[in-house]
Amino acid sequence: STPLYSSAASDVYKRQVHMAEFDILIYGATGFTGSQLAKELHDQAPKGTRLALGGRNAEKLAKVAEPLGLPVVVADAMDKAAVDAMVKRASVVVTTAGPYAMYGDHVVDSCVAHGVHYLDITGETPWVRQVIDRHHESAKAQGTVVLPCCGFDSVPSDLGVLFMVKRVRERLDQGTKSVEAAFSIKGSFNGGTLASGLNIGEKFKAKDLANPFLLNPDPKTSREAWSANADPKGPVTHAQLGSLAPFFMGPVNTRVVRRSAALLADSPQSYGPEFSYQEYMRMGGTVSAWGATLAMGAMAAGMAKPAGRSLMARFGPKPGEGPSEADMDGGFVKVRYAATAMDGQVLQGQLKAPGDPGNRVTVRILAQAALCVLEGEDLPGGVLTPAVALGQRLQDRLVATGKWEMKLLD
């Protein structure tokens, strides 16, 4: 396979950064997540970073932009010409405007067409598959980073696995056979996240979501491999991680991690020739694991049917709405990892991050990832994953915030 890195592509990137009017443009800045991201980047970006906010409603944009002293660009996501005009003014576009299967195509298409780096926080894996098929090769050739799934979905999974694989290689001098992750979280949905989930249920069938290798370079696989990597359907008792239930974000995160493993398979960073990944929710015991399993099944069944989606849309948060500041501050993410080396030895690790997963943690990740892309040189091009595009650079930036702790457990 051709290398992920290209010095010629890096030269193109340097020229693009120099010529652009804005360093980072946040599209969807009037939404619940986008407005938080605008403030986060305003506070965290190095002095002199040229930020701008984009969206379709000038009045709402002004309310977000004026307190921060930032310029705005008005563009409707469905207006290709307006999106093109907006994108060409930036070095990096970060979009929080979902559902992405509805509002993301013109933005990502324009970024690739004009050599502008792109980041989002989608969990809509069938849509990401479409983006891979349209843009991976051309983005790779020109050194453009296209980075979906760059929030709580799926950075704790992707960087956590990368961390564990590196520790196995360093400590045990061998590849990794498997990693399992167990999530403990406290938080709630905002309206945009719910809208994306409902859109997935409406536009895509169960078979579109079920392929464990959906995001791999070649999603076709054998029946045996599919069966061995299928999403868990019931509780599991794990020797190191305890009582586990299926995790509702597993069908997203596992696909991202498997793409990382596939993209790195022929490199010195290869995870291992037989590598597999699975993730769960960590529960207090078998009874609670069964309860969580049944609740997840009911939620999935509701998403799959029009009546269920209608009820969720009626009683859930609306786009632009979300949890209170206190609730977001009171949330957390904690992940335990168990990495099994090729000879059967097991290393355990842990991630801790304060704040509501879908809001505080997602915004923190996305801001640091955008700055990482902006400041990075010799970045690989293509439709990539956080581990492949940014890897240790992003891990280091997140640790430096003081709100991201990743360590081995003795």
Side-chain angles (χ1 to χ4, degrees):
S1 60
T2 56
L4 286 169
Y5 294 83
S6 165
S7 58
S10 177
D11 291 340
V12 172
Y13 168 68
K14 291 174 185 176
R15 290 197 297 272
Q16 171 67 21
V17 170
H18 179 72
M19 295 171 61
E21 180 181 355
F22 306 124
D23 294 319
I24 299 174
L25 186 143
I26 303 165
Y27 187 69
T30 62
F32 192 79
T33 303
S35 59
Q36 293 180 69
L37 179 64
K39 186 176 187 307
E40 180 79 4
L41 275 171
H42 176 267
D43 293 344
Q44 296 295 323
K47 186 177 180 180
T49 304
R50 299 165 300 168
L51 303 175
L53 307 185
R56 65 180 180 179
N57 187 305
E59 184 177 349
K60 290 182 178 180
L61 274 174
K63 290 181 180 179
V64 178
E66 286 177 1
L68 303 175
L70 298 178
V72 302
V73 182
V74 179
D76 191 308
M78 308 308 289
D79 184 338
K80 185 178 184 303
V83 169
D84 279 341
M86 174 186 72
V87 164
K88 286 190 288 187
R89 300 172 69 180
S91 294
V92 179
V93 169
V94 185
T95 174
T96 60
Y100 293 87
M102 293 177 64
Y103 303 117
D105 281 341
H106 287 333
V107 179
V108 69
D109 292 353
S110 183
C111 283
V112 176
H114 299 292
V116 174
H117 296 315
Y118 167 96
L119 298 90
D120 71 34
I121 52 172
T122 188
E124 300 161 56
T125 50
W127 179 75
V128 176
R129 178 72 252 175
Q130 295 171 2
V131 173
I132 292 168
D133 292 341
R134 287 205 309 275
H135 294 308
H136 178 66
E137 292 303 325
S138 57
K140 180 179 177 180
Q142 67 192 29
T144 301
V145 176
V146 178
L147 189 54
C149 307
C150 203
F152 177 59
D153 320 328
S154 300
V155 170
S157 302
D158 209 28
L159 289 190
V161 169
L162 183 69
F163 176 86
M164 294 306 298
V165 168
K166 285 185 174 182
R167 301 294 87 76
V168 169
R169 191 182 302 119
E170 291 169 358
R171 291 200 172 194
L172 306 178
D173 194 27
Q174 57 186 291
T176 303
K177 185 174 183 179
S178 67
V179 176
E180 286 85 35
F183 281 72
S184 302
I185 60 175
K186 180 182 179 183
S188 57
F189 294 109
N190 62 53
T193 300
L194 178 59
S196 290
L198 296 175
N199 189 62
I200 291 173
E202 179 180 353
K203 291 188 176 297
F204 301 105
K205 298 179 181 179
K207 67 177 183 179
D208 298 322
L209 305 168
N211 184 350
F213 303 99
L214 177 64
L215 302 185
N216 277 37
D218 181 2
K220 300 183 182 68
T221 188
S222 67
R223 186 183 300 272
E224 291 76 17
W226 184 306
S227 177
N229 290 274
D231 300 317
K233 301 299 183 185
V236 172
T237 300
H238 191 282
Q240 286 79 33
L241 302 177
S243 296
L244 308 175
F247 182 41
F248 63 92
M249 289 313 306
V252 176
N253 298 334
T254 55
R255 279 56 166 171
V256 173
V257 171
R258 291 176 191 134
R259 179 167 177 79
S260 294
L263 289 174
L264 295 173
D266 297 327
S267 76
Q269 291 77 43
S270 173
Y271 291 1
E274 302 174 18
F275 177 80
S276 65
Y277 175 68
Q278 198 57 268
E279 67 182 33
Y280 307 87
M281 289 187 68
R282 196 174 191 207
M283 310 304 297
T286 303
V287 173
S288 59
W290 270 111
T293 300
L294 293 173
M296 179 177 166
M299 183 176 72
M303 288 283 193
K305 297 180 179 179
R309 293 194 296 272
S310 178
L311 284 173
M312 292 180 192
R314 181 177 179 184
F315 293 106
K318 305 299 184 287
E321 298 177 351
S324 68
E325 294 289 322
D327 285 343
M328 289 190 290
D329 288 340
F332 66 83
V333 175
K334 182 178 178 181
V335 192
R336 288 278 300 274
Y337 308 92
T340 303
M342 295 301 294
D343 67 359
Q345 295 185 73
V346 178
L347 295 182
Q348 295 187 64
Q350 179 174 274
L351 163 67
K352 287 184 177 181
D356 177 277
N359 295 286
R360 288 287 189 261
V361 175
T362 283
V363 166
R364 191 180 307 134
I365 290 170
L366 189 56
Q368 294 303 322
L371 293 171
C372 199
V373 170
L374 179 68
E375 297 172 2
E377 295 183 6
D378 300 321
L379 293 173
V383 183
L384 302 175
T385 63
V388 172
L390 304 178
Q392 191 63 45
R393 305 182 196 198
L394 180 55
Q395 182 85 275
D396 292 344
R397 292 192 71 99
L398 288 168
V399 169
T401 67
K403 297 179 179 180
W404 184 276
E405 179 190 12
M406 183 82 76
K407 65 180 183 179
L408 280 182
L409 298 176
D410 296 325

Coordinates of all heavy atoms in Angstrom, one line a residue, residues 144-206:
T144 N -4.9 16.0 2.5 CA -6.0 16.6 3.2 C -6.5 15.6 4.3 O -6.9 14.5 4.0 CB -7.2 16.9 2.3 OG1 -6.7 17.9 1.3 CG2 -8.3 17.6 3.1
V145 N -6.6 16.1 5.6 CA -7.1 15.3 6.6 C -8.7 15.4 6.7 O -9.2 16.5 6.8 CB -6.6 15.7 8.0 CG1 -7.2 15.0 9.1 CG2 -5.0 15.6 8.0
V146 N -9.3 14.3 6.6 CA -10.8 14.2 6.8 C -11.0 13.3 8.0 O -10.7 12.1 8.0 CB -11.5 13.6 5.5 CG1 -13.0 13.5 5.8 CG2 -11.2 14.5 4.3
L147 N -11.5 13.9 9.1 CA -11.5 13.3 10.4 C -12.9 13.3 11.0 O -13.2 14.2 11.8 CB -10.4 13.9 11.3 CG -10.1 13.3 12.6 CD1 -9.7 11.8 12.4 CD2 -9.0 14.0 13.3
P148 N -13.7 12.3 10.7 CA -15.0 12.2 11.4 C -14.8 11.5 12.7 O -13.7 11.1 13.1 CB -15.8 11.3 10.4 CG -14.8 10.5 9.7 CD -13.5 11.3 9.6
C149 N -15.9 11.4 13.5 CA -15.9 10.7 14.8 C -14.9 11.2 15.8 O -14.2 10.4 16.5 CB -15.7 9.2 14.5 SG -16.8 8.5 13.3
C150 N -14.7 12.5 15.9 CA -13.7 13.1 16.7 C -14.2 13.8 17.9 O -13.9 14.9 18.2 CB -12.9 14.1 15.8 SG -11.2 14.4 16.5
G151 N -15.1 13.1 18.6 CA -15.6 13.5 19.9 C -15.6 12.3 20.9 O -14.7 11.5 20.8
F152 N -16.5 12.3 21.8 CA -16.7 11.1 22.7 C -16.9 9.9 21.8 O -16.4 8.8 22.2 CB -17.9 11.3 23.6 CG -18.2 10.1 24.5 CD1 -17.2 9.6 25.3 CD2 -19.4 9.5 24.4 CE1 -17.5 8.5 26.1 CE2 -19.7 8.4 25.2 CZ -18.7 7.9 26.0
D153 N -17.5 10.0 20.7 CA -17.5 9.0 19.6 C -16.4 9.5 18.6 O -16.7 10.5 17.9 CB -18.8 8.9 18.8 CG -20.0 9.0 19.7 OD1 -20.0 8.6 20.8 OD2 -21.0 9.6 19.2
S154 N -15.2 9.0 18.6 CA -14.8 7.7 19.2 C -13.4 7.8 19.8 O -12.7 6.8 19.8 CB -14.9 6.6 18.1 OG -16.1 6.5 17.5
V155 N -13.0 9.0 20.3 CA -11.7 9.2 20.7 C -11.3 8.4 21.9 O -10.2 7.8 22.0 CB -11.4 10.7 20.9 CG1 -10.0 10.9 21.5 CG2 -11.4 11.4 19.5
P156 N -12.1 8.3 23.0 CA -11.7 7.5 24.1 C -11.4 6.0 23.7 O -10.5 5.4 24.3 CB -12.8 7.6 25.1 CG -13.4 8.9 24.8 CD -13.3 9.0 23.3
S157 N -12.2 5.5 22.8 CA -11.9 4.1 22.3 C -10.7 4.1 21.5 O -9.8 3.2 21.7 CB -13.1 3.7 21.5 OG -14.3 3.7 22.2
D158 N -10.5 5.0 20.5 CA -9.5 4.9 19.5 C -8.1 5.2 20.2 O -7.1 4.5 19.9 CB -9.8 5.9 18.4 CG -9.2 5.5 17.1 OD1 -9.0 4.3 16.8 OD2 -8.9 6.4 16.2
L159 N -8.0 6.3 20.9 CA -6.7 6.6 21.6 C -6.4 5.7 22.7 O -5.3 5.4 23.0 CB -6.8 8.1 22.1 CG -6.7 9.2 21.1 CD1 -6.4 10.5 21.7 CD2 -5.6 8.9 20.0
G160 N -7.5 5.1 23.4 CA -7.3 4.2 24.4 C -6.6 2.9 23.9 O -5.7 2.4 24.5
V161 N -7.1 2.4 22.8 CA -6.5 1.2 22.2 C -5.1 1.5 21.7 O -4.2 0.7 22.0 CB -7.4 0.7 21.0 CG1 -6.7 -0.4 20.2 CG2 -8.7 0.2 21.5
L162 N -4.9 2.6 21.1 CA -3.5 3.0 20.7 C -2.6 3.0 21.9 O -1.5 2.5 21.8 CB -3.6 4.4 20.0 CG -2.2 4.8 19.4 CD1 -1.8 4.0 18.2 CD2 -2.3 6.3 19.0
F163 N -3.0 3.6 23.0 CA -2.2 3.6 24.2 C -1.9 2.2 24.7 O -0.7 1.9 25.0 CB -3.0 4.4 25.3 CG -2.3 4.4 26.6 CD1 -1.3 5.4 26.9 CD2 -2.6 3.5 27.6 CE1 -0.7 5.4 28.2 CE2 -2.0 3.5 28.8 CZ -1.1 4.5 29.1
M164 N -2.9 1.3 24.7 CA -2.7 0.0 25.2 C -1.8 -0.8 24.3 O -0.9 -1.6 24.8 CB -4.0 -0.7 25.4 CG -4.9 -0.1 26.5 SD -4.1 0.1 28.1 CE -3.7 -1.6 28.5
V165 N -2.0 -0.7 23.0 CA -1.1 -1.4 22.1 C 0.3 -1.0 22.2 O 1.3 -1.8 22.2 CB -1.6 -1.2 20.6 CG1 -0.6 -1.7 19.6 CG2 -3.0 -2.0 20.5
K166 N 0.6 0.3 22.4 CA 1.9 0.8 22.6 C 2.6 0.2 23.8 O 3.8 -0.1 23.9 CB 2.0 2.3 22.6 CG 1.8 3.0 21.3 CD 1.9 4.5 21.4 CE 1.9 5.2 20.0 NZ 2.1 6.6 20.1
R167 N 1.8 0.2 24.9 CA 2.3 -0.4 26.2 C 2.7 -1.9 26.1 O 3.6 -2.3 26.6 CB 1.3 -0.1 27.3 CG 0.9 1.3 27.6 CD 2.0 2.2 28.1 NE 2.8 2.8 27.0 CZ 2.5 3.8 26.3 NH1 1.3 4.4 26.4 NH2 3.3 4.3 25.4
V168 N 1.8 -2.6 25.4 CA 2.1 -4.0 25.1 C 3.4 -4.2 24.4 O 4.3 -5.0 24.7 CB 1.0 -4.7 24.4 CG1 1.4 -6.1 23.9 CG2 -0.2 -4.8 25.3
R169 N 3.6 -3.3 23.3 CA 4.8 -3.4 22.5 C 6.1 -3.0 23.4 O 7.1 -3.7 23.3 CB 4.7 -2.5 21.3 CG 5.8 -2.7 20.2 CD 5.6 -1.7 19.1 NE 4.3 -1.9 18.4 CZ 3.4 -0.9 18.4 NH1 3.6 0.3 18.9 NH2 2.2 -1.1 17.8
E170 N 5.9 -2.0 24.2 CA 7.1 -1.5 25.0 C 7.4 -2.5 26.1 O 8.6 -2.8 26.3 CB 6.7 -0.1 25.6 CG 6.6 1.0 24.6 CD 6.0 2.3 25.1 OE1 5.7 2.3 26.3 OE2 5.9 3.3 24.4
R171 N 6.4 -3.0 26.8 CA 6.7 -3.8 28.0 C 6.9 -5.2 27.7 O 7.7 -5.9 28.4 CB 5.5 -3.6 29.0 CG 5.4 -2.2 29.6 CD 4.7 -2.3 30.9 NE 4.7 -1.0 31.6 CZ 4.4 -0.8 32.8 NH1 3.9 -1.8 33.6 NH2 4.4 0.4 33.4
L172 N 6.2 -5.7 26.7 CA 6.2 -7.2 26.4 C 6.9 -7.5 25.1 O 7.0 -8.7 24.8 CB 4.8 -7.7 26.5 CG 4.0 -7.4 27.8 CD1 2.6 -8.0 27.6 CD2 4.7 -8.0 29.0
D173 N 7.2 -6.5 24.3 CA 7.9 -6.7 23.0 C 7.2 -7.6 22.1 O 7.8 -8.6 21.5 CB 9.3 -7.2 23.3 CG 10.2 -7.1 22.1 OD1 9.9 -6.2 21.2 OD2 11.2 -7.9 21.9
Q174 N 5.9 -7.4 21.9 CA 5.1 -8.2 21.0 C 3.8 -7.5 20.6 O 3.5 -6.4 21.2 CB 4.7 -9.6 21.7 CG 4.0 -9.4 23.0 CD 3.8 -10.8 23.7 OE1 3.0 -11.6 23.2 NE2 4.5 -11.0 24.9
G175 N 3.1 -8.1 19.7 CA 1.8 -7.5 19.2 C 0.7 -7.8 20.2 O 0.8 -8.6 21.2
T176 N -0.4 -7.2 19.9 CA -1.6 -7.3 20.8 C -2.6 -8.2 20.1 O -3.0 -7.9 18.9 CB -2.2 -5.9 21.1 OG1 -1.2 -5.1 21.7 CG2 -3.4 -6.0 22.0
K177 N -3.1 -9.2 20.8 CA -4.2 -10.0 20.2 C -5.5 -9.4 20.3 O -6.3 -9.5 19.3 CB -4.2 -11.4 20.9 CG -5.1 -12.4 20.3 CD -5.0 -13.8 21.0 CE -5.9 -14.8 20.3 NZ -5.7 -16.1 20.9
S178 N -5.8 -8.8 21.4 CA -7.2 -8.2 21.6 C -7.1 -7.1 22.6 O -6.3 -7.1 23.5 CB -8.2 -9.2 22.0 OG -7.9 -9.8 23.3
V179 N -8.1 -6.2 22.5 CA -8.3 -5.2 23.6 C -9.8 -5.2 23.8 O -10.6 -5.2 22.9 CB -7.9 -3.8 23.2 CG1 -8.3 -2.8 24.3 CG2 -6.4 -3.7 23.0
E180 N -10.2 -5.2 25.1 CA -11.6 -5.0 25.5 C -11.6 -3.7 26.4 O -10.7 -3.4 27.2 CB -12.2 -6.1 26.3 CG -12.5 -7.4 25.5 CD -11.2 -8.2 25.4 OE1 -10.4 -8.3 26.3 OE2 -11.0 -8.8 24.3
A181 N -12.7 -2.9 26.2 CA -12.9 -1.6 26.9 C -14.2 -1.7 27.6 O -15.2 -2.2 27.1 CB -12.8 -0.4 26.0
A182 N -14.2 -1.2 28.8 CA -15.5 -1.1 29.6 C -15.7 0.3 30.1 O -14.9 0.9 30.8 CB -15.4 -2.1 30.8
F183 N -16.8 0.9 29.7 CA -17.1 2.3 29.9 C -18.0 2.5 31.2 O -19.0 1.7 31.4 CB -17.9 2.9 28.8 CG -17.0 3.3 27.6 CD1 -16.5 2.3 26.8 CD2 -16.8 4.6 27.3 CE1 -15.7 2.6 25.7 CE2 -16.0 4.9 26.2 CZ -15.4 4.0 25.4
S184 N -17.7 3.5 32.0 CA -18.6 4.0 33.0 C -18.7 5.5 32.7 O -17.7 6.2 32.6 CB -17.9 3.8 34.4 OG -17.7 2.4 34.7
I185 N -20.0 5.9 32.6 CA -20.2 7.3 32.2 C -21.3 7.9 33.0 O -22.2 7.2 33.5 CB -20.5 7.4 30.7 CG1 -21.8 6.7 30.3 CG2 -19.3 7.0 29.8 CD1 -22.2 6.8 28.9
K186 N -21.3 9.2 33.1 CA -22.4 10.0 33.6 C -22.7 11.2 32.7 O -21.8 12.0 32.5 CB -22.2 10.5 35.0 CG -23.3 11.3 35.7 CD -23.0 11.7 37.1 CE -24.1 12.6 37.6 NZ -23.8 13.1 39.0
G187 N -23.9 11.3 32.1 CA -24.1 12.4 31.2 C -25.5 12.2 30.6 O -26.2 11.2 30.9
S188 N -25.8 13.1 29.7 CA -27.1 13.0 29.0 C -27.0 13.6 27.6 O -26.0 14.2 27.2 CB -28.2 13.8 29.7 OG -27.8 15.1 29.9
F189 N -28.0 13.3 26.7 CA -27.9 13.7 25.3 C -28.3 15.2 25.2 O -29.1 15.7 26.0 CB -29.0 12.9 24.5 CG -28.7 11.5 24.4 CD1 -29.4 10.5 25.0 CD2 -27.6 11.1 23.6 CE1 -29.1 9.2 24.9 CE2 -27.3 9.7 23.5 CZ -28.1 8.8 24.1
N190 N -27.7 15.8 24.2 CA -28.3 17.1 23.7 C -29.1 16.9 22.5 O -29.2 15.7 22.0 CB -27.2 18.1 23.4 CG -26.2 17.7 22.3 OD1 -26.7 17.4 21.2 ND2 -24.9 17.7 22.6
G191 N -29.9 17.9 22.1 CA -30.8 17.7 21.0 C -30.2 17.3 19.7 O -30.8 16.5 18.9
G192 N -29.0 17.8 19.4 CA -28.3 17.4 18.2 C -27.9 16.0 18.1 O -28.1 15.3 17.1
T193 N -27.5 15.4 19.2 CA -27.1 14.0 19.3 C -28.3 13.2 19.1 O -28.3 12.2 18.3 CB -26.5 13.7 20.6 OG1 -25.3 14.5 20.8 CG2 -26.1 12.2 20.7
L194 N -29.4 13.5 19.7 CA -30.7 12.8 19.5 C -31.1 12.8 18.1 O -31.5 11.8 17.5 CB -31.8 13.3 20.5 CG -33.1 12.6 20.4 CD1 -33.0 11.1 20.7 CD2 -34.1 13.3 21.3
A195 N -31.1 14.0 17.5 CA -31.5 14.1 16.1 C -30.7 13.2 15.2 O -31.2 12.6 14.2 CB -31.4 15.6 15.6
S196 N -29.4 13.2 15.4 CA -28.5 12.3 14.6 C -28.9 10.8 14.8 O -29.0 10.1 13.8 CB -27.0 12.5 15.0 OG -26.6 13.8 14.5
G197 N -29.2 10.4 16.0 CA -29.6 9.1 16.2 C -30.9 8.7 15.6 O -31.0 7.6 15.0
L198 N -31.8 9.6 15.7 CA -33.1 9.4 15.0 C -33.0 9.3 13.5 O -33.6 8.6 12.8 CB -34.1 10.5 15.4 CG -34.5 10.6 16.9 CD1 -35.4 11.8 17.2 CD2 -35.2 9.3 17.3
N199 N -32.1 10.2 12.9 CA -31.9 10.2 11.5 C -31.2 8.9 11.0 O -31.6 8.3 10.0 CB -31.0 11.3 11.1 CG -30.9 11.5 9.6 OD1 -31.9 11.8 8.9 ND2 -29.7 11.4 9.1
I200 N -30.3 8.3 11.8 CA -29.8 7.0 11.5 C -30.9 5.9 11.4 O -30.9 5.1 10.5 CB -28.7 6.6 12.5 CG1 -27.5 7.5 12.4 CG2 -28.3 5.1 12.4 CD1 -26.5 7.2 13.5
G201 N -31.8 5.9 12.4 CA -32.8 5.0 12.4 C -33.8 5.1 11.3 O -34.4 4.1 10.8
E202 N -33.9 6.4 10.8 CA -34.8 6.6 9.7 C -34.2 6.3 8.3 O -34.9 5.7 7.4 CB -35.3 8.1 9.7 CG -36.2 8.4 8.5 CD -36.6 9.9 8.6 OE1 -36.3 10.6 9.6 OE2 -37.3 10.3 7.6
K203 N -33.0 6.6 8.1 CA -32.3 6.5 6.8 C -31.6 5.2 6.5 O -31.4 4.9 5.4 CB -31.4 7.7 6.6 CG -32.0 9.1 6.5 CD -31.1 10.1 6.1 CE -31.7 11.5 5.8 NZ -32.7 11.4 4.7
F204 N -31.2 4.5 7.6 CA -30.4 3.3 7.4 C -31.1 2.1 8.0 O -31.7 2.2 9.0 CB -29.0 3.5 8.0 CG -28.3 4.7 7.3 CD1 -28.1 5.9 8.0 CD2 -27.7 4.6 6.1 CE1 -27.4 6.9 7.5 CE2 -27.1 5.7 5.5 CZ -26.9 6.8 6.2
K205 N -30.9 1.0 7.4 CA -31.4 -0.3 7.9 C -30.4 -0.9 8.8 O -29.3 -0.6 8.9 CB -31.8 -1.2 6.7 CG -32.8 -0.6 5.8 CD -33.1 -1.6 4.6 CE -34.1 -1.0 3.7 NZ -34.4 -1.9 2.5
A206 N -30.9 -1.9 9.6 CA -30.1 -2.6 10.6 C -28.9 -3.2 9.9 O -27.8 -3.2 10.5 CB -30.9 -3.7 11.3

